[in-house]
Amino acid sequence: MLDFLKKLKKGGKHHEHDSREMRKFPPDVMKLLQQAGLDTDALIFGATGDMDIDGTYHTLWLSLDEKGIYYALGDEQVVKAKGKKRLETKYTLDSLRCTPFEDYDTLDTERNLTTAMLIGKKDGEDFPVAVFSLGLIAKFEAFADTFNALKDGKSPEEATKMPPPPGKCPKCGSPLPPGNRPCPKCASKVSTFKRLLSFFAEFKWKVALIVFSMLISTAISLIIPQISSTYLYDNVLNTAGTQPYETLLGSLISVVLSIIAIKVVNLLFTVIYQYIVAGILPWIIYDIKLKIFEAMQRLSVGFYSAKQTGSLIERVNRDSNNIYWFFVDGMPYLIISFVTVLGVVAIMFATSVKLTLMVLAAIPVVGVIYYFSQKFFRRLHHRNWVSNANLTSAVSDNVNGHRIIKAFSKENEEFDRFSDKSGKVMHSEINYANAEATIFPIIGLIVSVAFALLMAFGGKMVVDGQITLGKLMSFVVYANMLQSPISFLSWVSNWWARCADSAQRVFEIIDSKPDVFDKENPIILDKIEGNIELNELEFEYEPARPIIKKLDLKVEAGEMLGIVGKTGAGKTTIANLIARLYDAKAGCVKIDGYDVKDLKMEQLRTNIGIVSQDIYLFIGTIADNIRYANPDADFSMVVAAAKAASAHDFIMKLPDGYETRVGSGGQDLSGGERQRISIARTIIQNPKILILDEATAAMDTETERNIQNSLSQLKHGRTTIAIAHRLSTLRDADHLAVIDSGKVVEYGTFDELIRKKGEYFKLYQIQSEALKFIGIGD
Amino acid sequence: MDDTKVTQSGFLGLEFIEPGDCCFYTNPHGFIALRLNGKDYPRVKLTRAYPYTEPFAYIGIEETDDKEIGMLKNAEELPAEQFSLVRKELESRYFCPVITEVLSFKEKMGHFYFEVKIGEHKTNFAVRDISRNVRTLPDGTTLIFDMDGNRYSIPDLEKIDSKNRRKIEPFLY
């Protein structure tokens, strides 16, 4: 009996281990499947879907063993278990069906708009296997890969050795955003606040001084009414008639003087804390900005393409400013308000418990009124902001499209559009002003009525002799002092929410880990020769949208390879993978026999020069831009590189020559001119591997020929990969590769490919026909 | 690219015109002309590649149709009288009036109106989009481009009277 139990335990453990390792289903589902007659121990891989084949929502447990594919359709429901606090998932199984392993040759996935499909292929025909939401595609892709691997005769262990599924947060289990960014769900606002405070740690003594001087200055402001009201009424004015005139005047002056003295001390502390705050905060903001910028430099290309440039720039500036204002304006005022409320209430209690209770009863009412009016105003304000933003975008749309507006003679319509948007802004502003004109007086009235009531009760107490007149007067002053802290406290949470939002966005960038990074102890080669080998390379920007599919390509050091192919065939992606701007999904890029992931990125990238399709010139002179890769280059090297890139002649025609300012705010250059400068920039880098990605596309044929001539001088000892649409660009290539949908479809020398009469020949014919047509072909 | 060659390091080198091979002279109409390796160019254009940092080095020599003949690495290596010819030509070609005094500086509707003294001569000009049209060179010279495309230079801003300097300074980057 005991043995049996042990076995059961062991079996249970084994089972659990399996489900984690092989990515199957929850134990309860496994049990259901077992009950339905499935040999769950033999299962190799499983994927959970959310639809049946018709697209209605059900839960689909699709699994696979060496005999076939099993479709289990059922449902899962989250229920509250009886007597337990925790939620529980209940599974039901409706049907189980099997397709023999031999029914399909391969499995593949296909994307629709919001769903995707698993498709089985047999003898060139396609069969639908499963339908599921697009978000699950990665799982089903892995499923298909496993199936295909098994078909290829691999063992189950090998077949399930797949890259890990898209990340889930280890804490909360919600899917992680792409690009190794932290889980947005787990980054709560409390921890954000703690982290923000950690920036202050360096300045903790100064912060302590700030808080101390704030407390002092608040405390002092609490004392003033004691003198200006209580003492003045009860001890000075009340004695009128009983004291000689001179004594009375003297004590009056002493009261005024002491009030002035206290005010001066108060001011002194206020100045101190404001001075320190102003001294610390810019440092902290500077720190945060540096951290964001540093993180942005570290991040890989993928991060930049996923984020809009505008939102990145805004993050660095606006978010850090949001944080700044909260800490410079909000925090001190929050502390002061809090202390003031506590202090005032304490003093009020000491003066008169009855009156205080009356005021305290009114506070929630006033607070609620403030809270709702703030909310109301925020909504109006937001509406105003939106209509203003609409107006701005309409104007910028108009200005940018002015040629088209004029060409189509649409000035009047544009005017109407503008006046419509502008009218909305006007209306929202009128609404705002009207609301302000109504609500503030109402609030004022409510508060005045409350004070009148307070005076009435207080007056009665004075008449009854319960408190003195001076005490009542100071009590009213104190009650007045509560107004602004309460209004502030009623909406500070909104302010904090905005600051926390900004801080979270900032931390998101700081915490992001680059997708492409140096491994520990990367290999540093003495010298890069320039042998390139791509082995079964696979890559995708989005799951299940493969751009490169099992691509093999080899370029010997010193050789020139030309890559041709249609738009979107994956040519640029190959260049990006060689320079390791992205990491391959599977397979590898080898340089001189080493996987690029093992090489030090800095060495790799300084030895690879890319002239890409989109050219960016930095703000600075032309010479600065050419020297970018090699700041030590002297003037003659710059000129030589520019000559090799056929840029020298146009540069010399500019009045400032090589010292012409380019980049934003500088001289306008044409596309071809910018391209030539970027070629010069790469030439001066003197890389071992030169990648020209449509580098001469924006140039006329003669300029292109000139550049080719000079590049061919540079070819010696250099591996060149040239990507082009225009076949004449690849005239000098030693070998040519034709790429189509992520695969090499043809490879060989120019003569071989022409003789083969395949894809390249077709392209060649089309282009030379076109040339013949315009009369310049042979 | 007949004047570039591949150097031993595999990098492109540049061949300059040897100062001994060329001879500048003034043609009958007063233009600068060149005899190079026995060939006469009756009129040549001299262009500075680095007009601000190297005013007398890296001088491009072009024919009147902008075709480059070659480049002089350092004009100061020429014999003295030839250098003075080249210098005179370059200085007249790259003449830029030097502002000695800013008399007034006003901003109106995004345009900046300067009233200046160039030597003893008073003049005024307007600059639009000052961030684009005022440039500070590495040696501290300030260049100003006016609306008509003229350029003026202020070699030393410190020498401009302090009242107007303070007005201009916020607009300089």
Side-chain angles (χ1 to χ4, degrees):
Chain A
M1 184 68 186
L2 208 66
D3 270 350
F4 171 74
L5 273 177
K6 260 187 196 163
K7 244 185 205 167
L8 202 73
K9 250 189 182 168
K10 238 187 187 171
K13 246 190 190 164
H14 177 71
H15 177 88
E16 209 173 53
H17 174 80
D18 250 15
S19 70
R20 203 177 59 232
E21 285 294 298
M22 298 208 172
R23 284 178 230 135
K24 288 182 203 162
F25 312 117
D28 287 353
V29 177
M30 291 300 250
K31 221 184 274 170
L32 274 178
L33 294 177
Q34 209 168 12
Q35 280 162 11
L38 200 64
D39 178 12
T40 48
D41 287 342
L43 289 185
I44 295 166
F45 199 87
T48 310
D50 54 355
M51 283 177 193
D52 69 7
I53 202 84
D54 311 322
T56 47
Y57 284 99
H58 276 296
T59 307
L60 168 73
W61 293 289
L62 193 69
S63 52
L64 163 82
D65 67 9
E66 280 169 295
K67 289 183 209 116
I69 301 172
Y70 305 97
Y71 311 80
L73 268 177
D75 269 310
E76 51 185 9
Q77 253 183 332
V78 182
V79 287
K80 210 175 157 186
K82 265 185 197 165
K84 284 182 193 164
K85 275 193 181 167
R86 284 181 54 191
L87 295 177
E88 206 168 69
T89 317
K90 279 239 187 289
Y91 302 96
T92 48
L93 184 67
D94 298 336
S95 68
L96 179 68
R97 174 162 78 73
C98 171
T99 310
F101 196 64
E102 298 76 33
D103 271 20
Y104 305 124
D105 292 335
T106 53
L107 288 182
D108 201 3
T109 51
E110 209 177 278
R111 298 167 80 103
N112 300 327
L113 187 64
T114 56
T115 57
M117 211 179 210
L118 190 67
I119 288 177
K121 290 180 194 278
K122 176 80 180 172
D123 303 329
E125 276 185 85
D126 290 359
F127 301 92
V129 178
V131 176
F132 43 90
S133 294
L134 195 58
L136 302 169
I137 194 163
K139 279 192 213 167
F140 283 86
E141 224 196 6
F143 189 90
D145 286 346
T146 313
F147 180 86
N148 297 340
L150 284 174
K151 274 278 177 189
D152 285 350
K154 286 190 181 146
S155 70
E157 285 75 31
E158 270 181 301
T160 43
K161 250 188 219 158
M162 294 290 158
K168 276 192 175 178
C169 174
K171 266 193 217 159
C172 66
S174 58
L176 286 174
N180 275 339
R181 272 179 284 134
C183 175
K185 218 171 152 186
C186 284
S188 81
K189 289 185 180 166
V190 181
S191 68
T192 309
F193 185 67
K194 272 193 194 154
R195 264 191 89 173
L196 274 176
L197 283 186
S198 74
F199 281 99
F200 287 87
E202 203 184 316
F203 308 97
K204 57 181 176 235
W205 292 114
K206 284 189 177 172
V207 171
L209 193 59
I210 293 174
V211 174
F212 178 71
S213 28
M214 270 193 305
L215 291 180
I216 296 280
S217 104
T218 316
I220 291 173
S221 62
L222 288 176
I223 296 173
I224 292 177
Q226 290 289 346
I227 297 164
S228 65
S229 301
T230 318
Y231 187 78
L232 183 69
Y233 282 99
D234 294 349
N235 298 14
V236 182
L237 299 180
N238 215 12
T239 54
T242 60
Q243 299 259 351
Y245 180 70
E246 282 77 23
T247 329
L248 204 63
L249 205 63
S251 39
L252 194 63
I253 288 171
S254 73
V255 166
V256 171
L257 283 182
S258 44
I259 289 175
I260 291 174
I262 290 171
K263 281 271 177 199
V264 167
V265 174
N266 193 5
L267 184 81
L268 210 69
F269 278 101
T270 314
V271 167
I272 289 178
Y273 91 73
Q274 277 178 353
Y275 186 77
I276 303 174
V277 165
I280 297 177
L281 269 162
W283 270 107
I284 289 166
I285 299 305
Y286 165 83
D287 226 42
I288 293 177
K289 278 188 186 171
L290 276 192
K291 282 209 169 113
I292 303 175
F293 197 75
E294 192 209 344
M296 277 165 55
Q297 299 307 303
R298 208 177 49 215
L299 290 172
S300 344
V301 185
F303 183 82
Y304 285 91
S305 34
K307 293 264 169 217
Q308 284 176 346
T309 331
S311 99
L312 277 178
I313 295 169
E314 195 162 275
R315 274 186 189 198
V316 180
N317 283 322
R318 216 183 64 177
D319 288 339
S320 48
N321 275 340
N322 265 344
I323 299 170
Y324 177 84
W325 284 117
F326 180 76
F327 278 93
V328 88
D329 262 11
M331 274 297 272
Y333 207 66
L334 184 68
I335 296 177
I336 292 177
S337 302
F338 204 68
V339 175
T340 307
V341 170
L342 284 182
V344 165
V345 171
I347 295 175
M348 279 163 65
F349 263 117
T351 316
S352 162
V353 177
K354 235 190 202 171
L355 284 179
T356 311
L357 288 177
M358 222 182 98
V359 172
L360 286 186
I363 283 179
V365 179
V366 177
V368 166
I369 292 172
Y370 273 129
Y371 177 77
F372 280 106
S373 58
Q374 281 291 347
K375 231 175 149 181
F376 181 65
F377 278 118
R378 271 175 68 88
R379 211 171 54 225
L380 287 182
H381 191 257
H382 185 74
R383 205 177 291 163
N384 179 251
W385 185 85
V386 168
S387 52
N388 255 319
N390 270 336
L391 180 67
T392 316
S393 68
V395 171
S396 94
D397 199 25
N398 180 290
V399 171
N400 291 331
H402 69 103
R403 269 166 211 270
I404 296 159
I405 294 166
K406 292 209 163 53
F408 286 92
S409 176
K410 286 281 174 197
E411 289 94 337
N412 287 335
E413 282 85 345
E414 284 295 316
F415 177 78
D416 291 343
R417 201 156 76 107
F418 177 82
S419 110
D420 182 45
K421 304 246 169 189
S422 193
K424 277 189 183 147
V425 174
M426 177 187 73
H427 284 300
S428 76
E429 264 159 19
I430 290 175
N431 276 344
Y432 195 82
N434 281 348
E436 253 182 355
T438 338
I439 290 180
F440 281 134
I442 291 178
I443 293 177
L445 183 70
I446 293 172
V447 172
S448 307
V449 168
F451 273 102
L453 287 174
L454 186 67
M455 288 299 264
F457 278 97
K460 190 172 172 296
M461 283 169 80
V462 173
V463 172
D464 296 347
Q466 284 173 0
I467 56 169
T468 61
L469 177 64
K471 280 197 172 160
L472 175 65
M473 292 319 282
S474 67
F475 193 89
V476 172
V477 174
Y478 282 122
N480 238 325
M481 279 169 79
L482 283 178
Q483 263 201 73
S484 81
I486 287 170
S487 91
F488 178 77
L489 290 174
S490 68
W491 63 275
V492 69
S493 61
N494 286 330
W495 198 351
W496 163 241
R498 203 162 52 203
C499 171
D501 234 33
S502 291
Q504 210 176 316
R505 277 201 295 268
V506 164
F507 291 142
E508 190 197 319
I509 294 190
I510 294 180
D511 296 344
S512 304
K513 299 209 170 46
D515 314 330
V516 179
F517 46 87
D518 267 336
K519 70 168 209 173
E520 262 178 70
N521 304 321
I523 301 168
I524 299 174
L525 299 175
D526 295 335
K527 191 173 169 241
I528 286 188
E529 295 293 337
N531 292 298
I532 305 171
E533 209 184 320
L534 312 182
N535 269 340
E536 298 210 331
L537 196 64
E538 283 180 52
F539 182 76
E540 55 194 24
Y541 292 101
E542 285 173 62
R545 267 206 191 148
I547 305 291
I548 304 289
K549 300 167 196 159
K550 290 211 188 285
L551 184 131
D552 289 301
L553 203 58
K554 208 169 170 183
V555 196
E556 300 281 337
E559 215 184 44
M560 176 171 174
L561 173 77
I563 297 180
V564 286
K566 291 187 206 120
T567 311
K571 305 182 300 274
T572 303
T573 310
I574 295 177
N576 289 343
L577 288 170
I578 293 174
R580 213 187 156 206
L581 296 177
Y582 295 93
D583 271 340
K585 182 194 163 208
C588 63
V589 177
K590 281 184 179 166
I591 299 221
D592 294 347
Y594 295 96
D595 192 332
V596 287
K597 288 180 190 168
D598 298 333
L599 294 175
K600 191 163 172 56
M601 218 144 50
E602 199 190 332
Q603 188 191 27
L604 180 73
R605 291 197 184 148
T606 48
N607 277 288
I608 296 182
I610 299 187
V611 182
S612 60
Q613 284 158 299
D614 35 43
I615 297 139
Y616 191 79
L617 298 184
F618 291 98
I619 298 171
T621 65
I622 291 179
D624 291 340
N625 268 289
I626 294 178
R627 264 195 300 238
Y628 190 72
N630 184 2
D632 301 329
D634 64 14
F635 287 138
S636 38
M637 282 166 89
V638 172
V639 174
K643 281 198 173 203
S646 284
H648 178 73
D649 289 346
F650 87 81
I651 295 172
M652 287 300 266
K653 274 189 203 143
L654 297 169
D656 293 331
Y658 283 84
E659 293 184 284
T660 303
R661 254 204 320 195
V662 291
S664 85
Q667 177 89 32
D668 296 319
L669 298 177
S670 77
E673 287 168 345
R674 294 151 67 86
Q675 220 166 28
R676 278 179 269 173
I677 291 178
S678 85
I679 292 175
R681 173 158 69 191
T682 313
I683 288 174
I684 217 167
Q685 185 191 350
N686 196 16
K688 277 311 236 186
I689 298 167
L690 183 64
I691 300 174
L692 304 165
D693 184 2
E694 297 282 3
T696 49
M699 285 169 221
D700 57 89
T701 330
E702 195 193 330
T703 314
E704 184 181 33
R705 187 55 49 93
N706 284 338
I707 295 175
Q708 275 174 359
N709 287 341
S710 46
L711 288 181
S712 65
Q713 289 182 52
L714 289 169
K715 253 172 67 181
H716 183 71
R718 202 181 303 271
T719 313
T720 311
I721 295 179
I723 297 168
H725 281 296
R726 199 153 54 187
L727 298 182
S728 60
T729 312
L730 307 173
R731 190 177 57 122
D732 299 324
D734 298 311
H735 286 99
L736 292 159
V738 183
I739 308 280
D740 193 23
S741 12
K743 280 181 189 152
V744 177
V745 288
E746 264 180 21
Y747 178 84
T749 62
F750 175 79
D751 292 334
E752 283 168 8
L753 293 184
I754 291 294
R755 250 180 281 131
K756 202 176 164 193
K757 293 200 188 313
E759 283 295 318
Y760 184 82
F761 180 74
K762 251 195 264 166
L763 285 170
Y764 183 79
Q765 253 191 335
I766 293 167
Q767 292 200 2
S768 50
E769 297 260 319
L771 292 180
K772 250 183 234 162
F773 180 72
I774 53 171
I776 51 173
D778 40 327
Chain B
M1 298 303 101
D2 34 15
D3 56 350
T4 55
K5 61 166 191 220
V6 180
T7 61
Q8 294 212 310
S9 61
F11 192 74
L12 279 183
L14 199 60
E15 271 181 47
F16 293 97
I17 294 175
E18 286 294 321
D21 292 347
C22 63
C23 171
F24 289 95
Y25 59 96
T26 317
N27 77 6
H29 306 291
F31 291 112
I32 191 163
L34 169 71
R35 185 177 302 125
L36 178 69
N37 297 328
K39 193 181 170 200
D40 263 305
Y41 298 92
R43 194 187 155 195
V44 290
K45 277 196 333 198
L46 303 184
T47 319
R48 284 170 172 163
Y50 303 97
Y52 307 113
T53 36
E54 294 283 358
F56 298 110
Y58 303 99
I59 303 301
I61 305 168
E62 284 141 32
E63 288 182 79
T64 39
D65 59 356
D66 286 338
K67 222 177 108 197
E68 192 175 74
I69 303 165
M71 220 180 198
L72 262 179
K73 183 158 186 183
N74 190 352
E76 288 173 70
E77 287 171 9
L78 292 167
E81 75 280 8
Q82 290 211 17
F83 174 61
S84 72
L85 257 181
V86 167
R87 188 191 175 111
K88 200 176 129 232
E89 168 71 15
L90 283 172
E91 278 174 353
S92 73
R93 215 177 131 77
Y94 283 89
F95 169 73
C96 178
V98 173
I99 294 172
T100 44
E101 206 180 328
V102 177
L103 298 171
S104 81
F105 172 77
K106 279 181 199 140
E107 198 219 318
K108 236 184 232 168
M109 308 281 287
H111 287 63
F112 297 82
Y113 296 91
F114 286 79
E115 201 182 319
V116 298
K117 252 180 151 178
I118 295 166
E120 286 309 304
H121 172 72
K122 259 192 215 172
T123 186
N124 50 22
F125 57 88
V127 176
R128 187 165 46 191
D129 189 4
I130 207 155
S131 65
R132 239 180 124 114
N133 289 316
V134 173
R135 179 175 171 193
T136 310
L137 299 177
D139 67 350
T141 306
T142 305
L143 286 183
I144 302 169
F145 303 85
D146 77 358
M147 279 175 69
D148 304 321
N150 303 317
R151 51 173 77 192
Y152 305 87
S153 79
I154 305 176
D156 191 354
L157 210 61
E158 294 297 316
K159 285 190 184 145
I160 302 297
D161 75 312
S162 61
K163 194 180 120 211
N164 283 308
R165 194 180 66 227
R166 252 179 270 132
K167 278 197 210 161
I168 300 172
E169 265 174 348
F171 298 100
L172 305 180
Y173 295 89

